[in-house]
Amino acid sequence: MDWDFTMANYDAVWGFVVQLGLLLLFLMLGNILRRVIPLFRKCLIPSALLGGSVLLLVSVICKQFDFTLVNNRLMQVITYHCLAIGFAAMTLKTEKSTHKTSRAQVVEFGALQGGTYMLQAFVGLAITLVLFLLTRYGDHVISYICGLILPLAYGQGPGNALSWDINFTNTSAAQFAGNGSFGLSLASIGFVVASVFGVLYINLHKKRGTLFVRNAAPSGEIVDQANPNGDEIPDSESVDKFTLQAGFVALAYALSFGFMVFLGKLSAFTNSIAWGFNFLWASLAAMLIKFVVKMLRKGKLMHREYINNYQMDRISGFSFDLMIVAGVAAIEINDIKNYILPIVLLSFVGMVVTYAYIRLVAKECFKGFEHEFFLMSFGTMTGTASNGMILMKEIDPGLRTPTSSLYILSNFPAMVMIAPLLFLLNFAGQSLTNAVIACAIFCLLWLVYTVFLFRRKIFKKRYQNIPETVWKDQP
């Protein structure tokens, strides 16, 4: 076939652009629906989720007329890559704490995230292990491993839920056929849980008089500053500032790709874990780049600040919005027909245990700003960090509490405490016995993290003479 730009070469020339255009158009439509329909706005439903849901509905209708509107495989690819790109951009940001924070609370925030992941993994896996035993001799066997997707869907969103759904589908011992749609469905429900129940929490505590909205800080909303310290590169020189930010993100992802290729060739085991953690390797590569830039600045070999936090926020925001729309649109209804029961059970029980656990920890460890902390954590551990930030800003619009600073500083300890879950995923999918062992390990780790978080209450005599760290709002 001759090479040209006509419909004769639609897949090569126009396929990706049309699918990307659909995502952006329906994202805009979702934003319009959110602005026009007060219920969506009051419930803080993300525009990306609304746009993706409408696109999924339109796609299902089109299939009834034998017309394929959405390329599901391409949507899955976009979801997969956008997760890593978003994490790389978030990690490249310079970590600047705007509040005084205690090291203990930074580690406690990390322990809470680790404990919540382990709780979701333990409960989710326990549910599907029971369902597997009940259905193993029936017509529709429910896989024992699908419950392990709960912490990935709720805690990390569509990208990682999709990735490990595909991995488990390709593992014959797992007896799973989610084909990506199971994980994407759970992640989509997670966004609804984060938004709707976060808003219900705010309204309930306002009526009880136990929650008040803090005044915004005098400085107002944070916006991009052209050159606040005079050491940033100009917005437009020989190359645009945003182009350089995209270049840093691309470099981080290129390094992570190289590392994944290396792991893939190293052994069968490393190959099995390499490709499902693209977001983790991208984050580590971004940390390395940030460290090199810091050393160059310190050694006076780099005289300007090249990484801009505001624009990195825009890159990560765009990536996550695109990930959500593509993730919802990629759901194949036929793939989840046999998994309705586990999806409903995991979604509901996951919501209840996450709510209860974070609420108890917030009251114990983060006195003085427990409501802000709860909303940030609950939104993040059922949706994304964006959901958590939106919910928190409803009662703390000026970021007067140290919650956002604690979240930034707790990234590394959280990553360390979540690591056992990530590295047990492949092991758990290899056999029923492995899944039971992994379930026990998750339960044990959850107990360890929980004992650490409630150590003051558990070991009263040891801590009775140590004053508690209670944050108080300053006028």
Side-chain angles (χ1 to χ4, degrees):
M1 185 182 292
D2 294 332
W3 172 249
D4 56 31
F5 302 103
T6 64
M7 288 295 287
N9 290 305
Y10 174 82
D11 287 336
V13 179
W14 293 103
F16 176 76
V17 174
V18 169
Q19 295 298 304
L20 181 61
L22 280 173
L23 293 179
L24 296 175
L25 287 172
F26 277 87
L27 177 58
M28 293 172 66
L29 177 60
N31 190 56
I32 292 171
L33 290 174
R34 192 176 186 275
R35 299 298 302 172
V36 171
I37 302 174
L39 178 62
F40 292 150
R41 192 166 62 253
K42 288 178 182 177
C43 291
L44 303 180
I45 301 292
S47 300
L49 180 62
L50 291 173
S53 301
V54 176
L55 180 54
L56 175 62
L57 178 62
V58 173
S59 175
V60 170
I61 293 172
C62 288
K63 283 181 181 178
Q64 306 307 311
F65 298 95
D66 295 323
F67 175 72
T68 302
L69 177 67
V70 172
N71 184 332
N72 285 59
R73 190 61 60 86
L74 182 57
M75 291 298 173
Q76 290 182 351
V77 170
I78 291 172
T79 304
Y80 174 79
H81 289 305
C82 280
L83 175 72
I85 291 169
F87 266 84
M90 282 178 60
T91 309
L92 280 166
K93 288 174 56 182
T94 306
E95 295 176 356
K96 295 178 181 176
S97 175
T98 55
H99 295 88
K100 252 189 171 182
T101 54
S102 72
R103 290 182 181 177
Q105 286 187 325
V106 170
V107 177
E108 285 168 349
F109 204 155
L112 168 71
Q113 293 181 66
T116 307
Y117 273 102
M118 297 307 158
L119 178 60
Q120 290 174 343
F122 160 62
V123 170
L125 201 49
I127 288 172
T128 50
L129 281 169
V130 172
L131 290 177
F132 173 76
L133 294 175
L134 293 174
T135 62
R136 64 188 305 181
Y137 301 114
D139 295 331
H140 300 295
V141 179
I142 294 175
S143 171
Y144 60 84
I145 200 63
C146 60
L148 197 47
I149 297 175
L150 174 64
L152 306 176
Y154 269 26
Q156 295 183 340
N160 215 21
L162 165 71
S163 178
W164 280 95
D165 183 321
I166 296 293
N167 280 353
F168 291 143
T169 299
N170 293 334
T171 304
S172 56
Q175 302 178 50
F176 182 56
N179 295 310
S181 295
F182 182 92
L184 293 174
S185 299
L186 267 183
S188 300
I189 293 170
F191 290 120
V192 177
V193 167
S195 302
V196 174
F197 286 90
V199 171
L200 288 174
Y201 177 91
I202 292 171
N203 291 330
L204 178 65
H205 283 274
K206 276 184 180 178
K207 286 182 179 178
R208 288 180 178 175
T210 55
L211 180 152
F212 67 95
V213 178
R214 301 179 191 274
N215 294 324
S219 56
E221 202 172 328
I222 299 173
V223 295
D224 186 20
Q225 302 291 335
N227 258 324
N229 302 318
D231 59 353
E232 284 199 8
I233 59 172
D235 282 339
S236 183
E237 204 177 39
S238 58
V239 62
D240 192 87
K241 184 194 283 189
F242 182 81
T243 306
L244 286 176
Q245 311 309 307
F248 276 113
V249 174
L251 176 60
Y253 205 17
L255 289 173
S256 66
F257 175 72
F259 185 65
M260 286 186 281
V261 171
F262 170 73
L263 288 178
K265 293 182 178 296
L266 203 58
S267 70
F269 171 73
T270 53
N271 182 59
S272 67
I273 65 171
W275 307 99
F277 297 129
N278 64 332
F279 74 98
L280 178 59
W281 313 133
S283 294
L284 293 174
M287 287 181 186
L288 176 62
I289 292 171
K290 195 162 62 171
F291 175 76
V292 171
V293 169
K294 185 178 179 181
M295 291 298 102
L296 291 174
R297 289 273 292 165
K298 194 173 181 180
K300 307 297 183 184
L301 296 174
M302 183 182 286
H303 302 288
R304 285 179 167 182
E305 188 66 62
Y306 282 85
I307 297 176
N308 181 274
N309 283 0
Y310 177 83
Q311 293 190 345
M312 285 299 175
D313 271 335
R314 304 287 65 78
I315 293 174
S316 62
F318 174 72
S319 298
F320 290 143
D321 281 341
L322 212 59
M323 176 185 74
I324 295 169
V325 181
V328 177
I331 295 172
E332 180 58 61
I333 303 299
N334 289 329
D335 289 334
I336 61 173
K337 283 181 179 177
N338 295 330
Y339 291 99
I340 298 299
L341 177 61
I343 287 174
V344 171
L345 282 176
L346 290 170
S347 300
F348 179 76
V349 178
M351 175 194 71
V352 172
V353 298
T354 302
Y355 177 95
Y357 187 63
I358 295 176
R359 184 76 182 101
L360 289 171
V361 174
K363 291 169 71 175
E364 172 67 19
C365 300
F366 300 92
K367 294 180 174 65
F369 59 107
E370 63 181 73
H371 295 297
E372 290 82 358
F373 177 84
F374 170 82
L375 290 168
M376 178 72 189
S377 301
F378 182 74
T380 301
M381 293 308 302
T382 52
T384 63
S386 299
N387 293 97
M389 188 63 74
I390 290 168
L391 287 169
M392 186 193 67
K393 282 187 174 181
E394 284 294 303
I395 62 172
D396 185 15
L399 303 182
R400 295 177 68 90
T401 67
T403 310
S404 57
S405 295
L406 284 171
Y407 179 76
I408 292 170
L409 297 173
S410 69
N411 281 337
F412 181 73
M415 193 179 294
V416 172
M417 294 183 190
I418 294 166
L421 165 66
L422 301 179
F423 288 104
L424 280 171
L425 288 170
N426 187 66
F427 169 81
Q430 297 302 316
S431 70
L432 177 61
T433 303
N434 286 11
V436 173
I437 293 170
C439 189
I441 293 173
F442 296 142
C443 182
L444 179 62
L445 287 172
W446 171 66
L447 288 171
V448 170
Y449 295 155
T450 303
V451 168
F452 169 74
L453 289 166
F454 289 89
R455 64 195 183 281
R456 297 180 187 88
K457 183 173 286 188
I458 296 170
F459 307 107
K460 285 182 180 178
K461 288 185 179 179
R462 184 177 173 185
Y463 286 92
Q464 64 183 359
N465 296 322
I466 300 176
E468 292 187 62
T469 303
V470 179
W471 187 89
K472 292 183 179 179
D473 195 6
Q474 300 298 320

